[in-house]
Amino acid sequence: MKRKTCKMRTLAMIMAVFSSVAAMGQSEKKNSEPDWLKDFTSRITLNGYAQGGWSYQNPNGEPTNAYNLKRTLLWAKARITDRWSFMFMHDFSSVVQEFYTDYRLSKGNELTVRLGQFKHSYSMENPLSPTQLELIDVYSQAVLYLAGEGPDPLNGVNYGRDMGLEIYGDLAKGLVHYELALMSGQGINRRDLNNQKDFIAKLELRPMPGFRVVASGYLGTGCAVNTAAWNPDVKVGDNYTRNRYSVGAEYKTQTYAGSKYKEARPASIRAEWLGGQDGDVGSRGGYATVCIPVVDALDVVASGETFDRNTKVDGWDQTNLTLGLQYWFYKKCRLQLQYTRCLCGENISSKDYDWLQAQVQVAF
């Protein structure tokens, strides 16, 4: 009887040991298994913003006012590996804006390849987000026209974006930044209408913190999707020379005027001169924009800009002088109020006119 009891105790001890080992094994296996959902969500970043407001203007002595919803963008960026990422952006007020992939070939930031539809690198302002820029109308006239944002009817409305292949990177420990691109030249969500590809180059020098000097060039052949009154020799479907250049500089101070719910901001000044050639017609213009945080969440904005659509024919020039305020009520969210005096050539407006704009921006 004692022998039988001893055997049962021994068997119970062996089973307990095996159970403990099995439980430990399952626990170690569970701990070693990756949390796929957590890993997946950690690689996806969602951002978005909306800009809308009201404007009043009286070109040709005819007053008009309207509410507007300019942009409602949402984009997702997926970090596939530490070198490879994918980006998709949609504007619910218009069309799909961007979809591209980046792959970093170098160990550092010296060389990255980008393929897809994205903002091209011509000019200083075009690559910047509207949430970062000071003017409610966002870009200067010269950038809007020459970068293909919309005012150039020959190129159409492309929001400064195009399809193509680009390489970019930082050299000399970040003192030099470069971008080289081979683009379709036809804009977004549209097949190429000729067999030409456009070449864009940008060089940026950063000799000291907050200061940069930038030059960019654009060599291309456009295929006209519409006609322009100031360039009557180019017809729809015509191939025409489409070249651009720009040179500019920007200085930003150290950030200040921040608080718990508002990001600290620098005072800044940015100036750029741009020019272009469309067929036989030349155009040129420039801008200087200043933004100064004055108290906790309030900035003063001032800008002067000019652009001439046809340098050989009088009456196609316009100069805008803007003064405004912006109030940051939460991090990337702001209220903007700006007054612009528009001094116009006779072919744009029979009279100089006033332009009053108000806008709210919500971003995350």
Side-chain angles (χ1 to χ4, degrees), residues 9 12 19 55 68 71 135 151 160 215 220 223 234 291 293 340:
R9 289 177 178 174
S19 298
S55 69
N68 58 69
R71 301 168 191 88
L135 297 183
C223 182
V234 179
C291 182
T340 302

Side-chain angles (χ1 to χ4, degrees), residues 12 17-18 34 62 77 84 93 98 113 127 187 218 232 270 302 357 363:
V17 170
F18 273 110
E62 300 176 1
K77 186 171 184 179
W84 185 19
S93 296
E98 298 182 12
V113 178
Y218 186 116
R270 182 175 61 258
Q357 300 177 87

Side-chain angles (χ1 to χ4, degrees), residues 52-58 63-68 70 136-137 337-338 354-359:
W54 171 87
S55 69
Y56 164 88
Q57 54 185 330
N58 57 346
T64 60
N65 72 88
Y67 292 104
N68 58 69
K70 292 185 176 180
I136 293 177
D137 203 39
L337 179 65
Q338 294 174 5
D354 303 306
W355 189 8
L356 183 63
Q357 300 177 87
Q359 179 173 272

Side-chain angles (χ1 to χ4, degrees), residues 169-332:
D170 294 332
L171 304 174
K173 297 182 179 180
L175 295 177
V176 178
H177 176 79
Y178 72 92
E179 298 178 28
L180 301 171
L182 197 62
M183 310 299 291
S184 164
Q186 207 62 57
I188 63 172
N189 306 322
R190 184 190 298 142
R191 69 178 181 84
D192 200 346
L193 298 179
N194 58 31
N195 290 322
Q196 308 297 320
K197 297 294 176 284
D198 296 358
F199 176 71
I200 305 176
K202 173 183 278 187
L203 182 64
E204 181 175 322
L205 304 179
R206 304 163 178 167
M208 57 183 286
F211 180 65
R212 60 180 182 138
V213 179
V214 184
S216 66
Y218 186 116
L219 299 175
T221 300
C223 182
V225 298
N226 210 328
T227 58
W230 54 89
N231 197 345
D233 292 336
V234 179
K235 310 299 182 184
V236 175
D238 286 354
N239 288 334
Y240 63 97
T241 299
R242 188 169 183 268
N243 296 335
R244 278 98 174 88
Y245 70 87
S246 74
V247 59
E250 180 182 56
Y251 177 69
K252 292 183 177 181
T253 67
Q254 295 293 318
T255 57
Y256 65 98
S259 63
K260 182 177 181 180
Y261 296 111
K262 303 175 183 69
E263 294 182 343
R265 307 171 310 285
S268 65
I269 179 170
R270 182 175 61 258
E272 189 172 23
W273 185 256
L274 308 93
Q277 189 76 24
D278 295 287
D280 296 327
V281 173
S283 55
R284 65 189 177 200
Y287 66 89
T289 300
V290 178
C291 182
I292 302 175
V294 289
V295 293
D296 173 37
L298 186 67
D299 300 346
V300 173
V301 174
S303 179
E305 51 156 326
T306 186
F307 183 62
D308 191 347
R309 292 166 174 79
N310 188 329
T311 57
K312 295 180 180 179
V313 178
D314 292 339
W316 288 110
D317 59 302
Q318 179 173 337
T319 297
N320 292 345
L321 303 174
T322 300
L323 183 64
L325 298 171
Q326 59 184 16
Y327 177 79
W328 299 87
F329 58 91
Y330 184 81
K331 295 193 175 182
K332 300 177 182 179

